[in-house]
Amino acid sequence: MLEIKDVSKSFGGIKALRNVSFSLRKSEIHALIGPNGAGKTTLMNIISGIEKMDKGDIVFNGISIKDFSAYRRAQMGLARTFQNIELFGNLTVLENILIGMYVKNHKGFILSGLNFSGIDEKTKSRGISLLEYVNLSHRKGEIAKNLPVGEQRLLEIGRALATDPQLLLLDEPAAGLNTKETKNLSELIQKIRNEWEVTILIVEHDMELVMGISDMITVLNFGEVIAEDTPIAIQKNPHVISAYLGED
Ligand code: ATP
């Protein structure tokens, strides 16, 4: 359902991505891992349309989306969360979810023009159901930026789900979470895949989480794919071990 084809990207003299190619099958959980600076976030930005690639193509359900805006990609069913959480911090938890729902249904909007008080009960109750789904309904009226990090990450996932995605990009969703929160997150990601039949691409440094939930793993090192395999095979792959340990 997603093909990353020969993608390259440089920042000045830094080659962040070099001819990166791999594919995602529908409804799989696919992890993108690699040491710091390997190019993972750059690739997530290119897939979601925040960053332009120098060369290559991204094909989503058979359509080349490389020239589409991030907004258009979101409307096509591509949703994401960010390494450095990006919520509408001054809006409530429920309003953040409602914005996700709005993105799905409208061609474009100006944030200041949103009038939450005019939102119908049906929409609101669907928003609250989504909050229940990510275990945040008790926080619905709170200002998003006041939530602890773990709950802000759940809210980002909830907002992404509110756009009714086919492909969910999760960029380091476990960063800043404790062991219990990480375990809950791992269960939530698997539940989302099973119940929403959504395809998930996850960038994550927590190897226990990655190995526990992924169907396939692609490993980047210095902007290049060095391995693509199942979790069990990746753990034994000498190129991957050496990339992480920095030695042969
Ligand atoms: P981490 O695991 O630390 O988040 P990463 O694998 O996500 O790392 P990227 O953030 O994609 O790696 O960075 C890849 C390379 O590109 C790094 O050398 C980084 O310094 C560089 N880079 C990324 N974004 C920019 C930018 N906007 N301008 C200049 N260099 C950049």
Side-chain angles (χ1 to χ4, degrees):
M1 69 104 63
L2 186 78
E3 293 168 78
I4 292 135
K5 292 182 159 179
D6 219 15
V7 170
S8 295
K9 172 76 184 175
S10 293
F11 296 103
I14 299 166
K15 289 194 168 147
L17 296 170
R18 308 168 198 229
N19 304 103
V20 170
S21 296
F22 63 92
S23 301
L24 269 63
R25 285 200 193 91
K26 189 169 161 25
S27 300
E28 77 173 353
I29 298 179
H30 195 119
L32 181 62
I33 66 168
N36 292 116
K40 304 178 297 292
T41 294
T42 302
L43 187 58
M44 293 294 244
N45 288 343
I46 287 172
I47 297 169
S48 56
I50 289 170
E51 198 94 66
K52 281 232 175 283
M53 66 189 105
D54 300 333
K55 184 174 86 63
D57 201 359
I58 307 284
V59 179
F60 180 50
N61 286 329
I63 299 167
S64 169
I65 57 168
K66 76 171 193 291
D67 297 323
F68 292 3
S69 68
Y71 194 81
R72 185 156 173 210
R73 294 179 204 206
Q75 288 204 312
M76 289 174 76
L78 211 148
R80 75 169 287 181
T81 68
F82 294 85
Q83 189 176 348
N84 313 309
I85 304 171
E86 299 207 12
L87 289 165
F88 297 99
N90 291 318
L91 298 182
T92 68
V93 167
L94 179 58
E95 284 165 352
N96 269 273
I97 296 281
L98 294 174
I99 285 180
M101 292 167 70
Y102 200 87
V103 166
K104 180 71 188 172
N105 299 320
H106 294 77
K107 290 236 176 303
F109 70 94
I110 300 165
L111 193 55
S112 61
L114 275 180
N115 177 6
F116 291 108
S117 59
I119 284 173
D120 63 87
E121 285 307 313
K122 197 172 150 218
T123 307
K124 229 184 247 175
S125 83
R126 173 154 155 69
I128 291 167
S129 307
L130 274 165
L131 282 179
E132 277 163 9
Y133 197 80
V134 296
N135 301 317
L136 280 182
S137 54
H138 59 296
R139 298 283 206 193
K140 69 175 192 260
E142 291 187 36
I143 296 298
K145 68 180 178 196
N146 295 339
L147 262 50
V149 171
E151 291 188 337
Q152 290 195 25
R153 292 214 179 272
L154 292 177
L155 180 53
E156 263 204 321
I157 293 174
R159 187 182 58 187
L161 286 179
T163 68
D164 198 13
Q166 293 181 46
L167 174 65
L168 185 55
L169 307 174
L170 301 174
D171 195 354
E172 295 197 32
L177 303 197
N178 63 32
T179 312
K180 185 166 176 285
E181 287 170 327
T182 304
K183 187 172 172 291
N184 291 341
L185 174 73
S186 151
E187 286 167 8
L188 177 65
I189 294 171
Q190 291 176 87
K191 191 167 99 159
I192 291 169
R193 185 270 295 278
N194 295 340
E195 294 177 2
W196 291 62
E197 292 185 355
V198 72
T199 308
I200 297 174
L201 179 62
I202 176 170
V203 166
E204 185 48 63
H205 284 289
D206 184 321
M207 285 305 133
E208 203 179 321
L209 173 67
V210 166
M211 297 303 165
I213 65 172
S214 306
D215 301 305
M216 282 298 283
I217 300 178
T218 297
V219 187
L220 280 183
N221 192 28
F222 292 114
E224 283 181 307
V225 174
I226 58 163
E228 188 179 352
D229 221 322
T230 59
I232 289 172
I234 286 292
Q235 289 175 65
K236 294 183 192 148
N237 184 308
H239 300 297
V240 177
I241 294 167
S242 123
Y244 271 94
L245 297 179
E247 60 193 33
D248 290 333

